[in-house]
Amino acid sequence: MASNSGRVIIVGAGPAGLLLGLLLAQNGVNVDVVEAECEIDSRPRGAGYGPAAVTVLRRAGVLDTIIERGLKPDSFTWRKLDGTVIGRLSGLNRKNDVGGFVMLTVYELAIVLWEALNKLPNAKVHWGHKVVSVGQDERSAWIDCENGELLRGDFVVGCDGGGSTVRKSLFRNDFPGKTWDPIIVATNVRYDFIKHGWEDTNWIVDPENWAVVAHLEKKGTWRVSYGEQPGLSHEMLQKRMVEKLKRILPGNPEPDQYTIEHFSPYILHQRCVERMRVGRVVLAADAAHLNNPMGGLGLTTGISDVSGLVDCLCGIYHGKADINILDEYDRIRREIYWTITDQVSTRNLERIMKTPEELLSSQDSFFSLLDNADDPSVFDEIEKFYKKSTVNGLANGNAQLVPWDRLVRYVSAKTGRVGYGDPVVEESTDVDQLVANGALKVWVLEGDNWLRAARTGEIDEVKEILSPLSATDVPIIRCTGLNYLAHIAESKMDIPKNPTLFIKPGQAIGDPRAPIPVPKLSQAKCDYEGELTIVIGKNAKNVSEEDALDYVAGYLTGNDVSCRDWQLEKEKAGMMPQWCFGKSFDKYAPIGPAIVSTKVLGDASGLRLTTHVNGELRQEANTSDLCFGVRKLVSFFSTGQTLQAGSLIMTGTPDGVAAVMHPPKWLKDGDEVVVEIDGIGKLRNVIKFD
């Protein structure tokens, strides 16, 4: 489908549908946006957009208008019910670039997007067109409207909100997740909060009267959203509203001191479909997933859905991707919802449902971080988190494999639990030394497994680091022999035409800073091999060198501990040298301290590798000197066989191993071996004879 035309049918003229239509039309795609109502929905709904959404709105060319009509909040403030400040995050818009946060009601945002879309000749909005059915075949998809009109295109995209007709056409009423017990009442209120010293966005922490109060636009309208009991009638909600607002608003005003412009109750959900793409029908934003509105993650995630979907569809139309790229959109967007949007929005709501005393005494690392939020480096980390929490990971059809930059597996100093974290460090920081000093902190990562573990926004303190992957996470370790020219020369071998392969079992995995147990039968000639280690992130078979990095999650520092007599001597190894038995004892493949993703290290070329034994430099090389680099190894080892996710590839060791020294300097009981690779870190272990 290598064409700049084509046609996409978008159901729903809310912000997601209009933004999708605008971006597609700007890229030459014909667009029909279909809306059941006769005008834009004016009910008070969401109003906040995080950095990832701001980037997309700038891309669409509407950000300046949005800022002009709305505002850019400078702070988030957490307060007791009496207004006392218990936490503040300031400087949200200290930068003038694409970052920051923006406030504008969904209604006003939809107007801005419709005005821009209405100027494009290849886009049309069909008001008053209620969709009654959706269909598709191999070449097209279509909708039938209640008025008898049928619209056909290459794809149908459901952006028609939580009650999506498009979603129900695919899954009926199946919408996995949960519904919260309380509901939320969203009100637009005119009241002078500034006079009382309140900032742009205020979170009220109270188990009975929790709320969020946000400045919406320069004219003075504020959004006050508060929790209520379920099952109350419209009349009862109005009656209770007077007392609720008197408790929540500063100064405890009477009804004649403020004006309610709109109010609307909402049921709170945390839900996501099992698939966001079925053939030529695709879902986005609230049609695909719902979450409580605390923190604006629903709006921001929905807008990021749109950005990723635009990249995919334009990639298809421009001949850069086939239709199956939509499966990547489906996988990545659902993964981000469950690992980020769902978890963080849940914590945001649970945080304000506590008493202030419970919150202040809890181990809420995000909240405790606010004490240092004026520190630019801390704010940078918070902003990175908000960008990562919703950025789609898709650009021109390419997907990031993991949501983290660096991953450690650690024991929490606070709880004693084992979890995943992303170290709060600069690239050059020595993680090993921070662990030794008891000073390492991590952004907490949570998810189904290490591949999907994503930041929660909380920070934890590390007692001990473990191997980033456990033995059960690693199906197999593929190892490369003779892959540095200098090591080949010292081994007196010929340069191989293809990589040499041997294996270690997953049970050989060992932890950083942990002893390496050496069995009695292998204590005579124990050796070290510092190695760059590749971590496979998804199943790979018959992968080309060009595509190889798409299957790599990241890199580790590794040590291929070896027993040379059981590797090379005939009376032990047999007539042919064999490299498995003498390298496969338990803990003979320590790895760590962190997996560093390809987002950070690319193909891992140009990295300095050193190995020290008791402080003596034994090995020094650069990964640019590998005979077979990362791309070649992944491609070659996947030929005719599947590299399973979690598999490791140890890429070979440089010259300087103990076996070739004169005399050999075999490892002894108590020796400390430190392998270090620039950008990844130090792997420190002590040899312990059984």
Side-chain angles (χ1 to χ4, degrees), residues 119-398:
K119 296 176 183 178
L120 300 178
N122 57 332
K124 182 178 180 181
V125 179
H126 303 260
W127 300 102
H129 280 57
K130 182 179 180 180
V131 175
V132 293
S133 67
V134 180
Q136 62 175 307
D137 56 28
E138 290 184 359
R139 294 181 175 274
S140 65
W142 59 87
I143 58 170
D144 290 293
C145 298
E146 193 174 56
N147 62 5
E149 189 170 350
L150 182 148
L151 292 174
R152 183 184 296 270
D154 304 308
F155 302 94
V156 168
V157 181
C159 295
D160 47 339
S164 171
T165 299
V166 179
R167 185 188 68 244
K168 291 176 181 177
S169 76
L170 298 174
F171 307 116
R172 298 183 182 273
N173 292 320
D174 188 17
F175 200 5
K178 74 171 186 178
T179 299
W180 293 84
D181 288 334
I183 67 167
I184 196 167
V185 177
T187 67
N188 285 359
V189 177
R190 285 192 176 274
Y191 183 66
D192 193 351
F193 288 87
I194 302 297
K195 180 179 71 174
H196 294 275
W198 281 39
E199 287 86 356
D200 295 319
T201 303
N202 304 269
W203 306 75
I204 310 304
V205 180
D206 188 87
E208 298 296 328
N209 298 284
W210 52 269
V212 61
V213 178
H215 199 179
L216 295 183
E217 39 84 26
K218 300 178 181 70
K219 297 177 183 178
T221 300
W222 292 67
R223 169 67 48 76
V224 180
S225 298
Y226 59 85
E228 256 293 10
Q229 301 174 18
L232 298 177
S233 67
H234 192 83
E235 292 74 18
M236 183 60 72
L237 288 173
Q238 277 188 307
K239 183 177 180 180
R240 289 170 58 89
M241 188 183 301
V242 173
E243 186 60 31
K244 277 283 188 179
L245 293 180
K246 185 173 184 178
R247 293 175 184 171
I248 293 169
L249 271 55
N252 308 117
E254 298 297 334
D256 60 352
Q257 295 177 277
Y258 57 82
T259 301
I260 298 175
E261 297 180 335
H262 299 281
F263 95 95
S264 185
Y266 294 96
I267 298 173
L268 301 178
H269 299 281
Q270 306 287 140
R271 299 184 180 276
C272 183
V273 292
E274 292 186 352
R275 296 179 66 188
M276 290 175 66
R277 179 252 174 142
V278 178
R280 291 179 174 270
V281 180
V282 187
L283 300 173
D286 284 359
H289 45 72
L290 296 171
N291 60 275
N292 80 77
M294 297 304 165
L297 284 169
L299 288 170
T300 301
T301 305
I303 288 173
S304 294
D305 284 352
V306 168
S307 179
L309 185 53
V310 168
D311 287 344
C312 290
L313 291 173
C314 288
I316 294 169
Y317 281 119
H318 298 163
K320 296 181 179 179
D322 64 32
I323 192 172
N324 292 322
I325 190 64
L326 293 173
D327 287 333
E328 286 297 286
Y329 163 81
D330 165 51
R331 179 184 66 82
I332 291 171
R333 296 313 307 166
R334 285 188 296 108
E335 184 175 297
I336 286 175
Y337 173 82
W338 285 118
T339 59
I340 297 292
T341 305
D342 173 66
Q343 294 185 32
V344 176
S345 64
T346 295
R347 285 184 175 84
N348 286 344
L349 181 54
E350 291 175 342
R351 186 176 290 124
I352 62 174
M353 287 178 166
K354 300 177 184 289
T355 67
E357 293 73 25
E358 287 173 336
L359 178 57
L360 291 171
S361 64
S362 69
Q363 294 183 340
D364 188 325
S365 299
F366 173 81
F367 197 75
S368 63
L369 187 66
L370 301 183
D371 294 337
N372 299 312
D374 290 333
D375 182 340
S377 64
V378 173
F379 183 84
D380 286 342
E381 287 298 325
I382 293 171
E383 186 177 47
K384 284 180 188 177
F385 162 72
Y386 272 100
K387 286 183 178 179
K388 286 181 182 179
S389 69
T390 47
V391 73
N392 54 68
L394 288 167
N396 298 320
N398 294 323

Side-chain angles (χ1 to χ4, degrees), residues 377-652:
S377 64
V378 173
F379 183 84
D380 286 342
E381 287 298 325
I382 293 171
E383 186 177 47
K384 284 180 188 177
F385 162 72
Y386 272 100
K387 286 183 178 179
K388 286 181 182 179
S389 69
T390 47
V391 73
N392 54 68
L394 288 167
N396 298 320
N398 294 323
Q400 294 288 0
L401 199 53
V402 294
W404 36 264
D405 287 344
R406 295 169 175 80
L407 180 139
V408 297
R409 192 166 61 98
Y410 72 100
V411 178
S412 170
K414 296 179 179 178
T415 67
R417 296 176 60 185
V418 175
Y420 296 115
D422 193 338
V424 183
V425 296
E426 298 296 329
E427 290 186 16
S428 59
T429 304
D430 187 347
V431 170
D432 176 76
Q433 189 60 51
L434 288 176
V435 173
N437 295 340
L440 179 62
K441 295 183 179 181
V442 295
W443 293 98
V444 175
L445 303 177
E446 289 188 4
D448 294 341
N449 57 40
W450 63 274
L451 276 168
R452 295 181 174 84
R455 289 191 186 185
T456 66
E458 298 182 16
I459 289 180
D460 199 2
E461 297 174 4
V462 174
K463 177 182 179 182
E464 175 186 0
I465 56 171
L466 308 172
S467 57
L469 302 181
S470 68
T472 56
D473 292 325
V474 180
I476 197 170
I477 306 169
R478 286 173 168 81
C479 304
T480 312
L482 302 174
N483 200 20
Y484 284 87
L485 290 173
H487 183 47
I488 294 171
E490 72 175 359
S491 301
K492 299 180 180 180
M493 300 282 189
D494 294 331
I495 297 175
K497 294 182 179 179
N498 291 302
T500 301
L501 170 67
F502 62 95
I503 61 172
K504 290 189 175 209
Q507 203 60 38
I509 293 295
D511 296 324
R513 305 189 69 84
I516 299 173
V518 180
K520 290 182 179 180
L521 82 166
S522 64
Q523 293 174 359
K525 297 182 179 181
C526 185
D527 208 345
Y528 50 84
E529 292 189 4
E531 305 199 13
L532 172 72
T533 302
I534 303 166
V535 183
I536 299 299
K538 63 179 179 180
N539 290 357
K541 184 175 182 179
N542 297 326
V543 172
S544 68
E545 291 186 39
E546 180 182 1
D547 295 335
L549 291 189
D550 293 342
Y551 297 83
V552 176
Y555 307 96
L556 292 155
T557 301
N559 186 353
D560 176 16
V561 184
S562 304
C563 179
R564 299 301 185 194
D565 47 354
W566 287 96
Q567 177 186 351
L568 300 171
E569 295 178 5
K570 291 182 180 180
E571 61 271 21
K572 294 181 178 180
M575 295 302 295
M576 296 289 292
Q578 62 96 348
W579 292 358
C580 290
F581 181 76
K583 288 173 170 278
S584 296
F585 298 120
D586 290 351
K587 314 301 181 185
Y588 262 39
I591 54 172
I595 304 175
V596 182
S597 74
T598 54
K599 289 182 288 185
V600 177
L601 292 180
D603 65 359
S605 60
L607 304 180
R608 181 173 178 261
L609 182 155
T610 60
T611 302
H612 288 79
V613 178
N614 299 327
E616 177 190 358
L617 179 63
R618 297 282 186 90
Q619 293 183 294
E620 183 175 15
N622 192 290
T623 56
S624 295
D625 297 331
L626 286 166
C627 294
F628 306 107
V630 171
R631 294 179 184 274
K632 175 65 176 180
L633 292 176
V634 172
S635 176
F636 183 80
F637 288 159
S638 71
T639 302
Q641 55 188 297
T642 300
L643 298 178
Q644 294 176 285
S647 297
L648 305 182
I649 298 176
M650 302 189 93
T651 60

